[in-house]
Amino acid sequence: DRIRQRALIHYYREDNLEAARAVWTQQSSPPADQNEIAMVAEIQATAGAPEAAATIERLRKFHSGEADVMLAELRFAQKDDEGSAAALEGAFATFRRDPWALPRFTQKAVSRAQALGSANPALARRMIEALREPFAVKVADIRRRVAVAFLTSQVDFKGMCAGAIGALEPNVPWAADFL
């Protein structure tokens, strides 16, 4: 129980996936509840572990959007950008209608979409379209709009910049990478 508790603290409270991974490896039992399943799904998915698919399906029984985010992480780790993009599109569709989506996963998904579109310009337009509509109760809304603004540089900056930046007005992020 202490191992489980320490891993969960590293994962949820400290947002330290590597520490959670290191502690969880000492655990011999499978994840027992939704929180542990989500944590283990991310530990396995980011490592590209083959057993991640089964854990992701266990997570899907509780949180389908979060499961799609973990599937995107797994596909990304497996160097399958197309599969990662498709999973993110599914996650975003769920997040638009699910007000109970966990913010940690919505934020992770938006960050992955931005990274994926930035590294693979062919997928940038898809990620912009997938992020265009807000999520339920506007979860991760600023992060979502900032990601769209960043991705316009990969697609059609001149044509899309005004709309993407305008969506952030009047409080445009004051950060060096954005400015």
Side-chain angles (χ1 to χ4, degrees):
D1 285 344
R2 286 186 183 176
I3 292 171
R4 290 175 184 278
Q5 184 181 34
R6 280 193 5 241
L8 289 167
I9 288 169
H10 287 308
Y11 183 72
Y12 286 104
R13 187 168 56 190
E14 298 170 3
D15 196 24
N16 187 337
L17 181 63
E18 292 311 312
R21 182 189 321 270
V23 171
W24 189 261
T25 60
Q26 301 168 30
Q27 179 59 257
S28 58
S29 301
D33 62 25
Q34 295 177 43
N35 294 319
E36 288 181 6
I37 292 168
M39 176 186 66
V40 172
E42 185 167 1
I43 287 170
Q44 293 171 344
T46 57
E51 63 272 17
T55 307
I56 290 167
E57 289 313 306
R58 284 186 68 195
L59 179 60
R60 189 173 305 284
K61 293 175 186 172
F62 305 106
H63 303 286
S64 64
E66 288 86 337
D68 282 335
V69 175
M70 290 303 98
L71 181 59
E73 290 296 307
L74 176 61
R75 296 296 176 244
F76 184 80
Q78 295 170 336
K79 309 285 190 247
D80 177 5
D81 288 352
E82 181 66 35
S84 185
L88 287 170
E89 289 166 330
F92 296 145
T94 300
F95 294 157
R96 284 192 286 277
R97 65 179 186 278
D98 179 6
W100 301 111
L102 299 172
R104 126 183 242 108
F105 291 95
T106 56
Q107 293 169 5
K108 181 177 293 299
V110 171
S111 295
R112 175 58 65 214
Q114 183 178 335
L116 188 62
S118 295
N120 187 336
L123 296 175
R125 186 174 300 276
R126 279 178 59 189
M127 295 298 95
I128 289 171
E129 288 305 313
L131 289 166
R132 191 166 304 281
E133 297 298 319
F135 303 148
V137 297
K138 299 199 181 228
V139 170
D141 202 49
I142 292 184
R143 187 171 289 192
R144 178 188 61 78
R145 289 186 278 161
V146 167
V148 169
F150 269 106
L151 290 172
T152 61
S153 67
Q154 299 296 317
V155 178
D156 176 16
F157 187 70
K158 277 187 170 182
M160 300 174 84
C161 171
I165 302 298
L168 293 164
E169 292 289 347
N171 300 311
V172 175
W174 196 254
D177 63 342
F178 186 80
L179 297 172

